[in-house]
Amino acid sequence: MKILVTGASGQIGKHLIPQFASTEHSIIAPDHQQLDITDFDKTVQLFKDYQPELTINLAAYTAVDLAEENSRQAFSVNQQGAENISKAAANIGAPIIHLSTDYVFSGNKSTPHTENDTPDPINVYGKSKLAGELAVREFNTRHLILRTAWVFSNESKNFLTTMLRLAQQQETISVVDDQSGGPTCAKHVAQTIVALTNQLQDFTAADWGIYHYSGAPYTTWFEFAQAIFQAAQQRNGFTPPQLIPIKSSQYKTLAKRPHNSQLDNKKITDRFAIQPANWRLALKELLTKPDPD
């Protein structure tokens, strides 16, 4: 297939493009200058010019705290951009795979969130991503919305790189211990998208929809930080800082975070035989083999 990927320069896109290199798919990955997804007319024209058979939308405004003060920009990208891409793809008969987030949920549930749970976001970022989901569902019937959580890699800004940076600057680091979720390696999200793409030809109408994919086992940010520093100790000259567990109420941020970001992976496993990957093994691999490919 000819596949158009938006947001290819982001954390997941940097892994997705190399993953597709070993397949027979043809990839189009326009940068922001070539494709501004917030411009409807130019988006539609680009789709007409390239005629992709599938669109994978990774483009997003992901600055969770900044979104509280820049809600217009967050909604412009996460809602209007998703709507424009969804419409442009539908206009040429192409399906869409759209990446979303655990932040569409409030986190007040005591068990992992399923695809049937009603979204109830508690911050602007989550609200804008939910609005994007609704737009994709409305304007392109052949859609896969893939929700993931706590994405990490050894590049870009994420929890892993932030912890390693702080470890070089501070002797003690405070990390919240009352928020839980499934850390998810960016490489594994990319592999999941490729696996879904390779099964599209067998899809029935019932297969389109929303799916959850995140790493296993569930953990807290504090435990995730502990695992990062334990793995990093294998590096020469690395001295781990002292970690201090704190409550969310002690760590002030502009945006509220869900206490429970756990995503139930049963649906994607049952339908596509895609199992959640062990984030601890992925973390160890990243810190001993930093090659992102």
Side-chain angles (χ1 to χ4, degrees), residues 30-278:
D31 59 25
H32 181 70
Q33 290 184 332
Q34 295 169 305
L35 174 61
D36 178 359
I37 64 172
T38 65
D39 188 318
F40 176 70
D41 291 336
K42 291 183 179 179
T43 300
V44 169
Q45 186 59 52
L46 184 139
F47 273 70
K48 288 181 178 179
D49 292 341
Y50 285 112
Q51 292 291 311
E53 298 167 88
L54 169 68
T55 298
I56 299 173
N57 182 32
L58 305 178
Y61 183 100
T62 58
V64 178
D65 287 317
L66 290 178
E68 296 296 311
E69 299 176 328
N70 298 280
S71 60
R72 180 175 298 181
Q73 184 178 357
F75 273 88
S76 177
V77 176
N78 294 344
Q79 177 185 25
Q80 192 60 55
E83 178 176 323
N84 292 345
I85 292 171
S86 185
K87 286 180 176 177
N91 285 346
I92 60 171
I96 180 173
I97 297 177
H98 176 74
L99 195 69
S100 194
T101 173
D102 58 296
Y103 276 33
V104 299
F105 297 112
S106 67
N108 293 327
K109 188 181 180 184
S110 59
T111 56
H113 296 283
T114 73
E115 292 83 351
N116 292 326
D117 289 337
T118 301
D120 50 350
I122 57 176
N123 56 45
V124 170
Y125 169 68
K127 292 175 182 177
S128 67
K129 289 297 290 182
L130 176 59
E133 285 189 9
L134 296 174
V136 169
R137 293 170 61 185
E138 178 178 358
F139 295 108
N140 196 320
T141 55
R142 293 197 299 159
H143 63 264
L144 278 180
I145 295 172
L146 184 66
R147 292 177 182 150
T148 189
W150 294 20
V151 178
F152 67 93
S153 67
N154 59 358
E155 56 188 348
S156 304
K157 184 179 180 181
N158 61 80
F159 188 76
L160 169 59
T161 56
T162 297
M163 286 296 104
L164 293 177
R165 175 178 55 81
L166 291 178
Q168 303 301 317
Q169 302 171 351
Q170 302 173 196
E171 294 183 354
T172 62
I173 301 176
S174 298
V175 182
V176 295
D177 197 27
D178 59 354
Q179 297 174 20
S180 63
T184 314
C185 181
K187 180 179 179 179
H188 293 152
V189 180
Q191 291 173 341
T192 297
I193 292 173
V194 172
L196 292 170
T197 299
N198 290 337
Q199 297 188 54
L200 287 182
Q201 61 183 1
D202 299 323
F203 268 37
T204 66
D207 293 323
W208 301 104
I210 301 173
Y211 292 86
H212 290 172
Y213 177 78
S214 67
Y218 302 125
T219 190
T220 68
W221 287 118
F222 178 78
E223 292 169 345
F224 189 18
Q226 283 183 315
I228 290 171
F229 294 137
Q230 288 169 1
Q233 286 186 72
Q234 304 303 314
R235 293 179 168 182
N236 292 330
F238 180 84
T239 302
Q242 178 186 2
L243 282 174
I244 302 174
I246 61 172
K247 302 299 182 183
S248 298
S249 59
Q250 297 174 267
Y251 186 70
K252 301 300 182 181
T253 57
L254 289 175
K256 293 181 180 179
R257 264 68 168 178
H259 281 278
N260 176 11
S261 284
Q262 298 175 12
L263 296 178
D264 189 309
N265 292 282
K266 186 176 186 300
K267 181 180 177 183
I268 199 169
T269 299
D270 289 348
R271 172 59 187 89
F272 302 111
I274 295 174
Q275 297 282 351
N278 188 302

